[in-house]
Amino acid sequence: VPLLTFKVIDKVYQNGTVALQGVNLIVQPGEFISLVGPSGCGKSTVLRLVAGLGTPTGGLMNWHGPNNQRNLAFVFQDPALMPWANVVENVYLPLKLKGQPLRSVRERIQAAINTVDLCGCEKSYPRQLSGGMKMRVSIARALVTTPQILLMDEPFGALDEMTRSRLNSDLLHLWEKKHWTVLFVTHNIYEAVYLSTRVIVMAAHPGRVVANIPIEAAYPRT
Ligand code: ADP
Ligand code: ADP
């Protein structure tokens, strides 16, 4: 059973911009899907619709998760950490917002921190961390909620090439171990092919899907 389906989805914003026209998309559990294409082709709009931020103006969007409840997490280019809070407190935030006491989720927070290789940085503040480390905190904060789908919008776009390629290789290894479902927006075709099981190419004016390419391990996945 797919996790999510878009059937001929249209999105016209209130100002008349046709952001998406006739977009079909089926997301199976465990897929790593990249959306690529020029600025303005509707990549972020797809992620926002998946997240329930705005509704389609046409077509049918179905979420097949349990109780039709979306359980997802977003990672943006800007890690948007709370500067006055240390790594543990930043990762705790989404659980805190759900009313979970810190003592009841300490282990989950530590597990998320370990997953992104930030063991030893628990008490550090964002200003003490590099750009890549801040991105890792932001990924841990997403993972700690155990989302059914991880939405990543140009997550590594602001990082230098070395940091980016390191994060890409770590992300690929994690995905192979954990079988997450990921929707990943990038301008970087190399990154899309390296990470994904499927690459969806979009075009602009109007935003639409022009190619849907399964990738069978272009690079050794070990
Ligand atoms: P929706 O139809 O999803 O509710 P809206 O058309 O109401 O979306 O726009 C949401 C917000 O985004 C508005 O405050 C609008 O001013 C702002 N916005 C308008 N144009 C753009 C744009 N080109 N890119 C990003 N945001 C925009
Ligand atoms: P991408 O992520 O591929 O750059 P977007 O989904 O951000 O594309 O935008 C698709 C189109 O919709 C663009 O023309 C953009 O300017 C427009 N757009 C995005 N958000 C809004 C909004 N809230 N209101 C009006 N237009 C928007």
Side-chain angles (χ1 to χ4, degrees):
V1 191
L3 189 57
L4 173 76
T5 52
F6 274 37
K7 278 189 199 144
V8 272
I9 289 291
D10 299 329
K11 175 64 180 178
V12 182
Y13 285 106
Q14 275 161 29
N15 67 359
T17 304
V18 182
L20 298 176
Q21 194 171 73
V23 169
N24 294 305
L25 175 66
I26 300 175
V27 180
Q28 301 287 351
E31 281 196 284
F32 195 122
I33 299 177
S34 288
L35 300 174
V36 301
S39 283
C41 69
K43 304 183 294 295
S44 301
T45 298
V46 169
L47 291 198
R48 286 201 295 267
L49 291 179
V50 170
L53 306 168
T55 47
T57 46
L60 268 181
M61 197 176 91
N62 275 304
W63 178 266
H64 305 282
N67 316 318
N68 286 320
Q69 277 210 320
R70 285 191 180 86
N71 171 13
L72 48 86
F74 241 117
V75 176
F76 300 98
Q77 184 167 315
D78 178 353
L81 304 180
M82 300 183 295
W84 59 84
N86 68 24
V87 167
V88 167
E89 291 157 348
N90 269 288
V91 173
Y92 171 47
L93 183 67
L95 302 175
K96 185 177 183 176
L97 293 174
K98 287 185 181 173
Q100 311 221 26
L102 180 58
R103 63 187 140 56
S104 71
V105 291
R106 279 244 175 236
E107 279 176 29
R108 276 170 72 184
I109 294 170
Q110 191 60 53
I113 290 171
N114 297 348
T115 296
V116 299
D117 251 337
L118 280 183
C119 214
C121 297
E122 289 83 355
K123 302 278 187 222
S124 301
Y125 286 83
R127 70 185 132 73
Q128 299 172 295
L129 304 175
S130 68
M133 291 161 94
K134 281 187 258 201
M135 179 50 64
R136 286 171 192 273
V137 177
S138 152
I139 293 172
R141 185 183 53 195
L143 297 179
V144 81
T145 62
T146 55
Q148 286 174 292
I149 186 162
L150 185 58
L151 305 173
M152 306 183 88
D153 198 345
E154 281 276 340
F156 310 148
L159 301 170
D160 63 85
E161 268 318 308
M162 291 282 277
T163 305
R164 184 178 184 128
S165 76
R166 179 64 203 277
L167 279 168
N168 273 328
S169 106
D170 287 359
L171 179 58
L172 180 58
H173 290 128
L174 279 173
W175 175 83
E176 285 170 339
K177 262 198 295 194
K178 312 265 181 176
H179 306 290
W180 297 322
T181 310
V182 186
L183 257 182
F184 189 91
V185 166
T186 180
H187 282 109
N188 188 320
I189 305 274
Y190 171 86
E191 185 172 86
V193 171
Y194 176 74
L195 289 170
S196 310
T197 55
R198 200 141 59 86
V199 176
I200 291 178
V201 186
M202 298 182 69
H205 312 300
R208 62 202 189 275
V209 172
V210 294
N212 190 331
I213 308 162
I215 308 282
E216 211 170 302
Y219 295 84
R221 291 173 175 276
T222 46

